[in-house]
């Protein structure tokens, strides 16, 4: 145990070591759960599918994929100014998100070992993949003379507790949305190679297949617990998590449209595409999906983005904190009420059958 843990968000003066960015409601989070409940979970009703996915994990298709090759030999001095700032931020946020997956899966594998061998093995193999993803992103940061201190991050971040059921909804969706985010960027750059400003995007095709398989593993775990998917409570929670994941991504990405523009992408169009695809994927598992074709859906989210922009303007104003908080309250309230409106847009019942998704 380190007795002198540095305060949160401290700026480290060791050259090239980047302290984690300041936490906000939209920062990637670290999770923990009820390991006892997870260990006692009986997954035998869907054991065959879980074993089939584990067998695929063991094939380890990406064993040799995350190897830095001579594509990375270039100098990245051409990425400068604001573009460099948003680019490094993208690498940092992605690395933090991947690392957060690694920590959760590794801890689950460790705690479930010998008690729930199927889940323990699945989590262990997924943590292998996430460690590779995080490590590859961290090496990319070193191309920009920065590196995330992952040990510090592990100790200094707050961990959000979710019951296993909520870990399943949230993590299933974040794996699937991760898949659609990576593949959408990859396909865009395949069509527009001149926009590939940095080689990491060339690795996104095989990379996103890992995320897709992880999502499938979570889907298989949830299918072994039909109570997570088949009643009114399940439908309400699925709607909640779909909206939470979609709106968080949308509000984040619109604030970072400069990054997407540097890849020749329009952040709004990109997000709409990713949300529609993820919603359709979720319809193959969840009993309900959101009506993202309803014109009110993105209109309300666009209203929220105006308020998040106003909030970040207040944060950067240099005013005293109390005044800042007071000025932020009406914007936070407005976002809250718009999210409630969005929650009550009539959902589409799918009962886990994707072909019913519009
Ligand atoms: Fe990953
Ligand atoms: Fe993953």
């Amino acid at each position: 145990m380190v007795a002198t843990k540095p305060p949160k968000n401290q700026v480290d003066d060791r050259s090239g070591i980047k302290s984690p960015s300041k936490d906000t409601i939209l920062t990637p989070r670290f999770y923990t759960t009820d390991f006892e409940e997870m260990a006692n979970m009986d997954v035998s009703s869907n054991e065959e599918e879980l074993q089939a996915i584990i067998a695929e994990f063991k094939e380890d298709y990406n064993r040799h994929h995350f190897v830095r090759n001579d594509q990375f030999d270039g100098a990245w001095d051409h990425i400068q100014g604001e573009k460099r700032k948003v680019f490094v931020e993208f690498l940092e946020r992605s690395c933090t998100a991947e690392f957060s997956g690694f920590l959760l899966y590794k801890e689950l594998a460790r705690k479930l070992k010998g008690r729930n061998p199927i889940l323990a093995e699945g989590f262990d193999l997924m943590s292998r993949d996430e460690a590779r993803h995080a490590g590859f992103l961290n090496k990319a940061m070193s191309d920009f003379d920065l590196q995330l201190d992952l040990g510090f991050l592990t100790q200094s971040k707050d961990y959000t507790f979710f019951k296993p059921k909520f870990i399943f909804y949230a993590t299933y969706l974040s794996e699937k949305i991760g898949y659609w985010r990576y593949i959408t960027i990859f396909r865009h750059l395949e069509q527009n190679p001149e926009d590939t400003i940095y080689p990491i995007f060339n690795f996104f095709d095989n990379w996103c297949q890992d995320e897709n398989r992880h999502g499938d593993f979570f889907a298989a775990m949830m299918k072994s617990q039909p109570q997570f998917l088949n009643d009114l409570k399940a439908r309400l929670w699925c709607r909640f998590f779909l909206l939470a994941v979609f709106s968080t991504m949308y509000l984040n990405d619109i604030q970072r449209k400069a990054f997407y523009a540097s890849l020749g992408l329009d952040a709004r169009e990109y997000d709409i595409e990713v949300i529609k695809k993820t919603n359709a994927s979720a319809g193959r598992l969840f009993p309900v999906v959101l009506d993202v074709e309803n014109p009110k859906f993105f209109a309300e989210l666009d209203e929220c983005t105006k308020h998040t922009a106003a909030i970040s303007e207040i944060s950067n104003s240099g005013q005293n904190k109390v005044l800042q908080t007071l000025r932020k309250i009406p914007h936070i309230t407005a976002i809250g009420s718009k999210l409630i409106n969005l929650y009550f847009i009539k959902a589409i019942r799918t009962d886990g059958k994707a072909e019913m998704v519009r």
Side-chain angles (χ1 to χ4, degrees):
M1 174 102 186
V2 183
T4 52
K5 201 168 85 177
K8 248 182 141 180
N9 304 323
Q10 176 181 296
V11 176
D12 198 319
D13 57 8
R14 285 170 293 169
S15 146
I17 306 287
K18 188 175 184 319
S19 292
S21 295
K22 213 171 89 199
D23 268 356
T24 69
I25 188 106
L26 300 176
T27 325
R29 303 207 153 251
F30 283 21
Y31 295 100
T32 186
T33 190
D34 183 340
F35 297 106
E36 195 57 29
E37 187 188 327
M38 197 79 98
N40 291 326
M41 200 169 274
D42 177 6
V43 293
S44 56
S45 67
N46 200 25
E47 187 174 336
E48 210 175 307
E49 191 183 2
L50 285 162
Q51 293 288 16
I53 299 169
I54 286 173
E56 242 197 307
F57 286 163
K58 284 185 179 164
E59 290 286 328
D60 202 358
Y61 303 111
N62 285 339
R63 185 192 307 251
H64 304 297
H65 183 61
F66 296 97
V67 178
R68 299 219 348 146
N69 53 24
D70 52 14
Q71 293 178 62
F72 288 89
D73 289 347
W76 309 108
D77 295 342
H78 68 277
I79 307 177
Q80 278 302 335
E82 184 62 18
K83 200 190 243 188
R84 193 176 181 95
K85 191 177 144 253
V86 292
F87 197 79
V88 167
E89 194 187 25
F90 165 78
L91 293 176
E92 182 188 352
R93 291 177 66 85
S94 306
C95 184
T96 308
E98 296 281 11
F99 188 64
S100 148
F102 161 74
L103 282 181
L104 175 68
Y105 300 162
K106 193 73 200 169
E107 192 62 3
L108 278 162
R110 209 171 60 80
K111 293 262 174 62
L112 270 47
K113 199 173 174 197
R115 299 192 61 193
N116 198 328
I118 300 172
L119 294 193
E121 191 171 22
F123 284 123
D124 191 48
L125 290 161
M126 290 195 291
S127 77
R128 168 201 71 191
D129 297 341
E130 305 301 14
R132 278 179 192 154
H133 302 167
F136 202 63
L137 282 155
N138 214 6
K139 282 204 191 106
M141 286 185 73
S142 67
D143 286 338
F144 297 86
D145 303 320
L146 289 166
Q147 207 152 29
L148 259 189
D149 187 339
L150 298 176
F152 173 67
L153 200 62
T154 310
Q155 289 179 25
S156 71
K157 276 281 229 179
D158 287 331
Y159 287 75
T160 305
F161 177 87
F162 268 174
K163 281 176 71 65
K165 168 166 122 165
F166 301 136
I167 288 278
F168 285 163
Y169 294 137
T171 314
Y172 164 77
L173 281 174
S174 67
E175 293 288 0
K176 286 291 173 188
I177 210 165
Y179 165 76
W180 284 113
R181 287 173 67 78
Y182 286 148
I183 196 71
T184 305
I185 291 179
F186 180 79
R187 284 179 188 156
H188 162 75
L189 294 176
E190 209 176 24
Q191 301 289 313
N192 303 277
E194 69 284 1
D195 288 331
T196 310
I197 54 170
Y198 181 69
I200 201 161
F201 306 109
N202 297 331
F203 289 75
F204 275 14
D205 55 345
N206 293 29
W207 185 329
C208 73
Q209 298 306 332
D210 282 343
E211 313 303 7
N212 204 22
R213 283 186 283 270
H214 298 170
D216 290 343
F217 189 73
F218 277 95
M221 282 191 283
M222 287 167 91
K223 283 191 231 162
S224 78
Q225 310 298 309
Q227 73 279 15
F228 292 174
L229 297 167
N230 65 4
D231 61 9
L232 174 67
K233 246 178 18 187
R235 293 197 290 279
L236 295 175
W237 280 117
C238 286
R239 283 168 69 174
F240 173 83
F241 278 96
L242 284 161
L243 182 60
V245 169
F246 294 166
S247 57
T248 305
M249 180 184 81
Y250 198 82
L251 299 186
N252 259 318
D253 285 351
I254 301 293
Q255 276 185 319
R256 289 170 180 79
K257 52 181 175 222
F259 166 72
Y260 295 93
S262 74
L263 302 181
L265 279 164
D266 177 282
R268 186 174 184 274
E269 283 171 22
Y270 167 77
D271 270 46
I272 291 176
E273 165 90 3
V274 168
I275 287 173
K276 286 185 178 177
K277 290 284 182 22
T278 309
N279 198 48
S281 295
R284 288 197 279 274
L285 175 71
F286 284 2
V288 283
V289 290
L290 302 185
D291 185 5
V292 294
E293 299 295 341
N294 184 323
K296 264 181 23 197
F297 188 82
F298 288 105
E300 292 278 26
L301 280 179
D302 286 332
E303 285 298 314
C304 290
T305 64
K306 291 179 192 161
H307 294 287
T308 46
I311 291 170
S312 63
E313 205 172 292
I314 296 167
S315 298
N316 297 328
S317 66
Q319 272 177 332
N320 94 33
K321 294 278 175 213
V322 179
L323 200 59
Q324 282 194 20
T325 309
L326 287 173
R327 287 182 60 208
K328 283 179 190 172
I329 289 171
H331 297 292
I332 294 167
T333 315
I335 293 174
S337 85
K338 299 213 170 298
L339 291 177
I340 292 169
N341 291 346
L342 280 162
Y343 186 78
F344 287 106
I345 292 179
K346 194 173 182 307
I348 299 170
R349 187 79 180 252
T350 56
D351 293 318
K353 296 180 181 70
E355 59 276 13
M356 292 176 76
V357 181
R358 276 209 311 246

